[in-house]
Amino acid sequence: MPNNASQTEPSILKNVLVITPLGLIGRAGTLLITIALANWFGDPVEMDFIYYYWGIALFLIELLSAATAYSVLVPLLAEARAKGETEAQRCVQSIFSRYITIMPWLCCLLVGISWAVSQRFLPNAGLPPVTAIGIVCGFLCFAMIASIRSMLKAILDTYQAFRVPVIVQCLRGVLVIGTIYLFKSPLTWFSIPLALTLGELFQVVVLFPRCCAVLNLQARHLKLNLQETPYTKRFLHQCLLMMGAAIADGINPVVDRGMASTLGTSSVSKLDYALRLCAIPENLTGVTLPVLLSHWAKISSSESQLENGSTPNGTQLQRSVWQGVVVLLVLMVPFLTGFYLLRENIVSILYGHGELSEAGQFHIAALLGIYLLGTLPRLISRLLIRAHLARQAHKTVVTATLIRLLLNPILNGLFMQYWGLEGVAWSTTLLSYPILAYIAIAFWRGSKKRTS
């Protein structure tokens, strides 16, 4: 196993160095979309409606794929690959078939529930009913197509074919911005969900044949098959656990937006504009997370096979994870310090060339400063969560997100009484620290159990 370790670690470094620049370009495209919206549309009440249902769509994507099916499929497929490529094909065929059967119906159900619940917080904002329903349906299509794209990406990431997904993500930003620009005059608000849907559809069209190629399968082999297999049982069971985590985690921004909407017009938009900028450091590190999950899943599956052997190897994953934490601290502490000190200038440069007022920019900068104070523990938590997922230790992730779900609305209500909209940001920031402590302690204890 020492030889295996020496081969694995350079592979992680190589993939990170190759994928990070491409991934950052793709994430920059997402930021440019927000900048374009801020300068083209500003922060009227209609944009509050757009951002509210966009947030619901992102929550559905996390619930149905990015935080659930993706995180479950990568370790399962890595385990199947260790048994042979035929077993990997069987794993994908059974899971993908079951997923595309259940996901659309579940997505429609959740959007209907979200629509009914959201009317209490944010009604149609003066939009005609046809326009409001069209926008919601557009975001529904966006969520379903993005969920399929996430599953295709999981397959490619497991096979460490990282380049194609990040390249098409780069092109997706150009497509979305171009579509909004062309249709913002004739379609106004509806141009936004339309552009986002076309961007996801473009990625699916490119990624699907690539997945078939790496699996050595043809499209007809992925036909619907409802037969129960051990892989579908494990997949559905683990997805249910991760859905609990995704609901607990993803509902927090929805709750934040709902509670912020009671503070008046533009409150939801300002929160979103601040969060999009706060996502910059998360995007800088987030591009490496699929690489790390893929490699750590491979290491974990190898360690599991050797648990009953004479050579314990439980320290390899632990060493790799803690090295990742140290690198994260070295790189991000100076970056976050500079970002915090220059936050007002950054907001002015990015958002100060259109409809957004100077007072609005100052308010966004204040919210951004609060969010940045909790960014570092959130970054470390995201890294450690991938290590838990690689071990298929889903209960720890669920418990951490449930803690946040229970405490977030309580702190929101308390802090909003004293600080208004800033109280929502303070709630998110302060909760980041105990959540990190719980996740780190759980990983440390899990590492000691596996090496003992």
Side-chain angles (χ1 to χ4, degrees):
M1 289 308 298
N3 293 334
N4 185 40
S6 64
Q7 292 174 0
T8 301
E9 293 175 2
S11 180
I12 295 177
L13 179 61
K14 179 181 178 181
N15 279 325
V16 168
L17 292 177
V18 171
I19 296 306
T20 297
L22 293 174
L24 291 178
I25 295 174
R27 300 296 180 92
T30 302
L31 177 61
L32 288 175
I33 294 172
T34 303
I35 294 172
L37 293 178
N39 287 284
W40 289 342
F41 297 99
D43 59 352
V45 65
E46 292 86 356
M47 284 305 294
D48 284 357
F49 184 82
I50 291 287
Y51 276 118
Y52 190 88
Y53 284 99
W54 193 350
I56 291 176
L58 294 176
F59 166 61
L60 291 176
I61 295 169
E62 289 292 310
L63 177 66
L64 299 175
S65 59
T68 55
Y70 177 95
S71 301
V72 172
L73 179 57
V74 171
L76 279 180
L77 186 53
E79 180 182 315
R81 284 193 70 199
K83 301 176 182 177
E85 291 301 321
T86 302
E87 194 69 15
Q89 293 174 353
R90 181 168 174 262
C91 174
V92 171
Q93 286 174 311
S94 58
I95 289 177
F96 192 78
S97 176
R98 183 60 57 90
Y99 180 78
I100 62 176
T101 303
I102 297 176
M103 182 272 298
W105 296 102
L106 186 58
C107 194
C108 291
L109 174 63
L110 293 174
V111 166
I113 296 174
S114 300
W115 168 268
V117 173
S118 64
Q119 294 306 294
R120 175 179 174 84
F121 300 105
L122 193 71
N124 294 346
L127 293 170
V130 175
T131 302
I133 294 174
I135 290 173
V136 174
C137 290
F139 280 119
L140 171 62
C141 295
F142 164 66
M144 288 193 292
I145 298 173
S147 297
I148 296 174
R149 184 263 304 164
S150 184
M151 286 291 284
L152 298 175
K153 185 177 183 297
I155 296 172
L156 293 176
D157 285 353
T158 306
Y159 279 80
Q160 300 183 10
F162 301 108
R163 296 189 184 186
V164 175
V166 295
I167 290 174
V168 295
Q169 187 184 31
C170 297
L171 299 176
R172 167 251 184 190
V174 177
L175 176 61
V176 170
I177 293 175
T179 302
I180 295 174
Y181 178 78
L182 290 175
F183 291 99
K184 65 185 178 70
S185 295
L187 299 180
T188 58
W189 315 111
F190 189 69
S191 63
I192 298 173
L194 173 64
L196 293 171
T197 302
L198 290 177
E200 296 300 323
L201 185 60
F202 163 73
Q203 294 181 83
V204 169
V205 170
V206 175
L207 296 181
F208 183 75
R210 179 59 179 161
C211 287
C212 292
V214 299
L215 289 167
N216 196 23
L217 290 173
Q218 296 182 3
R220 59 186 175 85
H221 294 145
L222 295 176
K223 62 183 179 180
L224 294 179
N225 182 6
L226 300 182
Q227 183 179 1
E228 193 78 22
T229 69
Y231 288 113
T232 57
K233 291 180 180 179
R234 292 178 60 189
F235 177 77
L236 293 176
H237 173 71
Q238 294 178 11
C239 276
L240 287 175
L241 285 176
M242 291 304 298
M243 277 188 177
I247 290 174
D249 189 53
I251 207 171
N252 280 314
V254 177
V255 170
D256 288 348
R257 290 177 177 91
M259 299 183 74
S261 67
T262 63
L263 298 175
T265 301
S266 79
S267 295
V268 178
S269 299
K270 288 175 181 176
L271 272 184
D272 261 276
Y273 288 136
L275 284 169
R276 303 289 170 146
L277 292 181
C278 189
I280 292 176
E282 295 182 359
N283 290 334
L284 290 174
T285 57
V287 293
T288 66
L289 295 180
V291 178
L292 296 176
L293 177 59
S294 176
H295 282 277
W296 289 346
K298 183 179 179 181
I299 294 172
S300 182
S301 63
S302 300
E303 291 179 351
S304 297
Q305 293 178 359
L306 291 174
E307 278 183 352
N308 297 323
S310 58
T311 306
N313 192 40
T315 60
Q316 185 181 349
L317 178 61
Q318 180 184 354
R319 182 173 61 251
S320 179
V321 171
W322 291 122
Q323 286 174 349
V325 172
V326 172
V327 172
L328 178 66
L329 290 172
V330 171
L331 294 178
M332 296 309 298
V333 168
F335 177 84
L336 290 173
T337 302
F339 202 161
Y340 180 85
L341 296 176
L342 299 174
R343 62 190 184 281
E344 293 184 4
N345 304 87
I346 293 172
V347 171
S348 178
I349 292 172
L350 297 180
Y351 294 157
H353 304 284
E355 297 293 328
L356 201 59
S357 66
E358 185 175 348
Q361 296 173 43
F362 181 80
H363 199 178
I364 292 170
L367 294 170
L368 175 61
I370 298 172
Y371 279 125
L372 286 173
L373 295 176
T375 298
L376 185 61
R378 286 197 299 273
L379 296 180
I380 300 174
S381 296
R382 294 172 73 205
L383 191 71
L384 294 178
I385 283 173
R386 269 59 188 184
H388 284 291
L389 294 176
R391 287 178 174 173
Q392 302 185 38
H394 302 98
K395 291 183 179 179
T396 300
V397 182
V398 174
T399 303
T401 51
L402 285 175
I403 294 172
R404 181 183 291 275
L405 175 65
L406 293 174
L407 295 180
N408 184 56
I410 297 174
L411 294 182
N412 275 350
L414 178 63
F415 294 158
M416 284 170 60
Q417 295 180 16
Y418 297 97
W419 298 302
L421 189 59
E422 283 82 352
V424 179
W426 275 118
S427 174
T428 301
T429 294
L430 294 178
L431 277 175
S432 301
Y433 291 90
I435 295 298
L436 170 61
Y438 173 78
I439 294 172
I441 292 172
F443 178 73
W444 177 260
R445 288 179 176 175
S447 299
K448 290 180 68 176
K449 289 180 180 178
R450 295 190 65 156
T451 55
S452 61

